[in-house]
Amino acid sequence: MNKKLVFTVLVAGMMAVTGCGSTETATKEETTTQETTTESNEASAEETGTVVVEHSLGTTEVPKNPEKVVVLDFGALDVMDALELEEKIVGLPLSGSVPDYLSEYKDETVYTNLGSVKEVDLEAIHALEPDMIITGGRLNDYYEELNEIAPTVLLNVDNADYMNSFKKSMNYFGEIFGKEAEVEAKLSEIETQVTAISEKAATKNANALIALANGDGFSVYGKGSRFGIIHNEFGIAPVDEAIEVSTHGQNASFEYVVEQNPDLLFVVDRTAATGGEGSAKEMFSNELMQGTDAYKNDRIVYLNPTVWYTAGGGFTSTQVMLDEVNAAIDKM
């Protein structure tokens, strides 16, 4: 074979080998790119998918990680604040009393005022074009109209079963906003405290009566009521097992309290919670009350009215409840 022919064969062989290498490299690069794209798409789908929320007003499909959220309940605002989701909030019910620990949200240059927790401005909500609305229990009559504006959910608690419903709602917040780990950690801490308080209450063998003061009158509450967490979760026995379960409680008199003579008397001042005038402390300092064990032993406990009456169901408000009841048990 002459030298020219040998050289030609060698060059052709080298080109073939080089071509195969280039093809293999290109194939690997294409495969890697496809895998990266697939993973990216899957991650994107996970972030921008939907969550089906089952709540007391219905079943609603809401977007994951919504960018514009209308919050019409202070308990829900409490949760959004604890999970550092304030930048997603576009509107709030700022007409009326806002809990002190949420006072930073009173700024109407940042958050559109949408009315109150009892009456909202539907046109203002519509103008915000929200991706999601979180409503409150006092706005049930507005639900259908709100749901026509944007997917609307009621993520509150069932006071007759506080902790189970609380965990359910908090887990929905975690799933919707990608905050599962944070929610799990906070729930674990709260559950640990609830168990400790319940165990402590059992050692005290104490009973209690819960009263809601309103103006110059009051009603009492027991198990299964809006303040039932004191009995059901914290383990303090009701002094009267026969109190009727009612939204507005059972009307009562000071003579009734004297007759029941509870170890602990928990008082929620509704008037103070709604910004009205009046003082529950003055009302429960009368001559009849001064003869009760609760009064004589300094065991009339005036609970934070905003938390217990207006803004329950959030991480901060639930912690306040834990702290107040724990301190009350320590008085026994």
Side-chain angles (χ1 to χ4, degrees), residues 181-194:
E182 291 92 332
V183 167
E184 183 179 358
K186 291 179 182 297
L187 286 176
S188 178
E189 182 179 348
I190 287 174
E191 288 182 296
T192 298
Q193 292 182 67
V194 170

Side-chain angles (χ1 to χ4, degrees), residues 13 57 88 93 99 102 166 169 176 181 197 276 284 286 301 310-311 326:
L57 298 179
K88 292 182 177 291
L102 296 172
F166 178 69
S169 291
I176 292 168
I197 291 173
F284 281 89
N286 60 61
V301 181
T310 307
N326 187 49

Side-chain angles (χ1 to χ4, degrees), residues 29-235:
E29 290 178 351
E30 288 175 4
T31 301
T32 301
T33 301
Q34 289 174 355
E35 289 175 350
T36 301
T37 301
T38 300
E39 290 174 359
S40 176
N41 288 339
E42 288 175 351
S44 178
E46 188 174 329
E47 292 177 358
T48 61
T50 60
V51 177
V52 177
V53 179
E54 294 181 0
H55 52 103
S56 61
L57 298 179
T59 299
T60 309
E61 187 174 357
V62 301
K64 277 193 174 185
N65 293 301
E67 290 301 319
K68 297 193 296 181
V69 183
V70 162
V71 181
L72 303 176
D73 177 75
F74 290 132
L77 176 59
D78 178 336
V79 180
M80 298 284 283
D81 177 70
L83 296 178
E84 300 181 347
L85 295 167
E86 60 275 6
E87 292 185 359
K88 292 182 177 291
I89 302 169
V90 293
L92 294 164
L94 300 177
S95 297
S97 300
V98 177
D100 290 341
Y101 61 91
L102 296 172
S103 60
E104 65 188 273
Y105 294 95
K106 292 180 180 179
D107 190 348
E108 294 187 30
T109 64
V110 178
Y111 308 103
T112 301
N113 183 0
L114 301 175
S116 71
V117 294
K118 288 187 175 182
E119 186 175 357
V120 293
D121 186 339
L122 292 171
E123 290 187 7
I125 295 173
H126 192 279
L128 290 173
E129 298 182 345
D131 302 313
M132 174 185 173
I133 299 171
I134 305 175
T135 188
R138 293 177 173 86
L139 295 169
N140 288 354
D141 291 342
Y142 285 86
Y143 178 72
E144 294 300 332
E145 292 172 287
L146 290 171
N147 204 35
E148 289 178 1
I149 297 173
T152 302
V153 294
L154 176 62
L155 293 175
N156 64 348
V157 297
D158 176 2
N159 290 303
D161 188 17
Y162 192 99
M163 282 306 299
N164 285 327
S165 60
F166 178 69
K167 287 187 287 185
K168 178 181 177 181
S169 291
M170 296 309 102
N171 284 326
Y172 274 134
F173 273 103
E175 189 176 358
I176 292 168
F177 294 101
K179 296 280 187 175
E180 292 92 340
E182 291 92 332
V183 167
E184 183 179 358
K186 291 179 182 297
L187 286 176
S188 178
E189 182 179 348
I190 287 174
E191 288 182 296
T192 298
Q193 292 182 67
V194 170
T195 299
I197 291 173
S198 180
E199 290 175 349
K200 183 191 294 186
T203 66
K204 302 291 185 177
N205 195 31
N207 60 54
L209 180 66
I210 309 164
L212 176 69
N214 186 17
D216 57 359
F218 67 95
S219 53
V220 294
Y221 294 77
K223 283 185 174 181
S225 73
R226 65 193 304 167
F227 309 119
I229 186 175
I230 289 175
H231 301 309
N232 302 336
E233 276 78 15
F234 297 152

